[in-house]
Each structure stands twice: as structure tokens, then as C-alpha cells.
Amino acid sequence: MDEKKVPAHIAIIMDGNGRWAKQRGLPRTAGHKQGAQTIRTIAIACNQRGVKALTVYAFSTENWKRPYDEVDYLCKLPRFFFRRYMDELMENNIQVRFLGEIERFPDDTRNVILTAAEKTKNNTGLILSLAVNYGGRREITLAAQRYAEDVMAQRADLQIDEAAFGTYMMTKDLPDVDLMIRTSGELRLSNFLLWQNAYSEFIFTPVAWPDFNEEELDRAITEYTERERRYGGLK
Ligand code: FPP
């Protein structure tokens, strides 16, 4: 694979956990657990391929509408995930971050999340961002609010360019998304990284997230490298 062409920032909508579980006669939560293991596999693989940032949609602002047991399980998954994989994340020099309004999660979940970010903050490899209680419109709304506050306090100028406004986003120092992958056959953006996906290449695969693997990742990266990105211009 041509190192230079590897996408700097990959974003993934990890869809299909529930269907994957149902097909196997398992509870939906089993799909989420398997899906968490896929995050580990794909993060390590991205790091090995020289990808700088991987951002995954783990819990949307809409997911609170799911049955209590499922929400409760999703809130407990970070503890399982970091207990099992923290050593490997450290060995692989992976930095963990979170996007989203984590205040709404129970104390325990929040502590696990903050501890993981703190422990890995000096790692210089892949930046793995988990989007939790995240919504793209909400992110832009919050950015506008903070920007307005800065203007009112005369900390920011009313004339602002896109790069400057981008610093108000939750992804502030990450590059724009280059490659956006959605698993499990759905062809939607579902309010994910609206600002950051402005010029990304989209790849949709029928494979359910728990079955997504290194081979699928390489297929997506290869397809990405073969596309011509013009950013609205001509070749
Ligand atoms: C979408 O599949 C998936 C989710 C809503 C949750 C994704 C979460 C994980 C993969 C694990 C997160 C782990 C950590 C450590 C934060 P779905 O349930 O909508 O599947 P379906 O469309 O088949 O029902």
C-alpha cells in the first residue's frame, strides 16, 4: 500500500451490531460486545498502516431512545473495553480521545472514559476518538454558541474563516475526514461529523460491524486510494 496515499483520518459508522446478533440467535448486546472487539482490531490495524486518526460513532445523541437494558449495556462497555485492551493500546502507542457530551453518562462510565484519555494522552501513534453522546448538528450548534460568546467577550473577531471556526469543533486539532466508512448496508450519514465530512470519500459495505476486519479495511483503503479527489476543482 502506498504510504503517502493512506487516508490521514478515517471515520466509521459502526452499524449492524443488532442484526449480527439476531442472525446468531443472540441478544443485541452480544453484537455490541463483539463490535467493541472490532474497534480494537481496526484501531491497531489503522495504526500499523500509518493512519493518523480513527473516529468511530459509538453512541449517538439519538441512542438514548433505545430500551433501558441496551443503553445500560452500552454505558458499561467502555469499562469492559479498557479493562481488556488498555495494555495493548499502550503497547501500540494509541491515544484515546472522546467526542461528545459525556456529562450525561453515569459517573462510572465518565470516569472510565476520562481515565483512558488521561492514561494515553502522551501516546504519539493513532488518535482513536470514540464519539459518545455525539451528534453533528449539536456539535455545530455548540461551536456557534462558544464562538458567539468569544465574539461578545471580544476574544474573537466577527470576520472568521472556516479554519478558525473549525477550531470550535470537538475534533479541533484533527485533520478533516478523508475516508468515511459505514458498515451493514445503510446509506446514510446519521448526523455523524457533518462539518468534518465535507470532502470525504464515502465507502459503504454490506458487512456488519462485528464482522469487519483487516481485510475489509484494506479493501476500503485501496478503493479510497484509487479514487480521484478534486475538492470541487478540475483535475
Ligand atoms: C449500531 O448498530 C451500533 C451502535 C449503536 C453502537 C456501537 C457501539 C459499539 C460498537 C461499541 C462501543 C464500545 C466502546 C468501547 C465505546 P445497531 O445496534 O444499530 O445495529 P442494527 O442496525 O443491526 O440494529
Side-chain angles (χ1 to χ4, degrees):
M1 206 172 286
D2 183 346
E3 270 281 317
K4 286 197 299 287
K5 284 179 149 182
V6 167
H9 188 174
I10 299 180
I12 307 184
I13 299 179
M14 310 180 289
D15 204 1
N17 294 347
R19 279 165 281 173
W20 180 91
K22 197 174 168 201
Q23 275 163 11
R24 287 162 178 74
L26 298 168
R28 291 175 57 79
T29 48
H32 295 316
K33 185 171 185 191
Q34 189 62 40
Q37 295 177 30
T38 307
I39 298 179
R40 170 239 166 230
T41 306
I42 298 304
I44 291 174
C46 281
N47 190 43
Q48 286 165 348
R49 285 154 182 74
V51 175
K52 303 276 177 266
L54 170 67
T55 304
V56 295
Y57 209 0
F59 194 97
S60 79
T61 46
E62 308 310 308
N63 287 151
W64 297 106
K65 295 183 208 151
R66 294 193 175 198
Y68 174 82
D69 283 354
E70 187 169 343
V71 170
D72 185 54
Y73 188 84
L74 285 169
C75 287
K76 289 186 176 135
L77 256 185
R79 174 171 291 281
F80 153 80
F81 182 82
F82 291 113
R83 201 176 266 166
R84 189 182 253 199
Y85 300 127
M86 181 49 83
D87 289 351
E88 266 185 298
L89 294 171
M90 290 303 289
E91 278 158 28
N92 284 276
N93 198 21
I94 293 174
Q95 187 186 125
V96 178
R97 295 189 191 176
F98 290 87
L99 309 181
E101 294 171 275
I102 62 166
E103 306 77 25
R104 192 163 167 194
F105 288 105
D107 284 352
D108 181 56
T109 309
R110 240 187 9 247
N111 289 339
V112 166
I113 283 174
L114 294 173
T115 306
E118 178 61 27
K119 250 190 188 159
T120 61
K121 72 174 183 205
N122 294 323
N123 289 350
T124 54
L126 177 88
I127 297 172
L128 168 64
S129 303
L130 302 168
V132 289
N133 192 26
Y134 172 87
R137 286 186 172 180
R138 178 80 183 137
E139 178 187 29
I140 295 171
T141 306
L142 287 174
Q145 226 170 53
R146 285 205 298 122
Y147 171 58
E149 280 164 13
D150 281 354
V151 171
M152 285 197 301
Q154 300 191 336
R155 288 188 296 262
D157 201 62
L158 189 56
Q159 299 304 322
I160 191 174
D161 62 14
E162 291 175 11
F165 190 67
T167 63
Y168 288 89
M169 296 294 156
M170 293 169 179
T171 47
K172 37 186 184 298
D173 52 355
L174 297 180
D176 272 352
V177 175
D178 297 302
L179 169 60
M180 221 294 293
I181 300 171
R182 183 169 188 148
T183 59
S184 208
E186 242 54 80
L187 309 179
R188 288 189 291 277
L189 189 51
S190 298
N191 204 16
F192 190 42
L193 300 175
L194 298 181
W195 175 270
Q196 300 83 347
N197 269 313
Y199 285 103
S200 56
E201 295 292 328
F202 282 51
I203 288 181
F204 298 98
T205 166
V207 175
W209 176 247
D211 283 334
F212 196 83
N213 54 23
E214 289 192 44
E215 205 183 325
E216 293 297 328
L217 175 71
D218 285 337
R219 213 193 308 271
I221 295 179
T222 301
E223 187 177 335
Y224 165 86
T225 58
E226 286 164 3
R227 290 196 193 166
E228 182 196 3
R229 301 181 80 193
R230 295 199 301 270
Y231 299 94
L234 300 174
K235 192 175 179 206

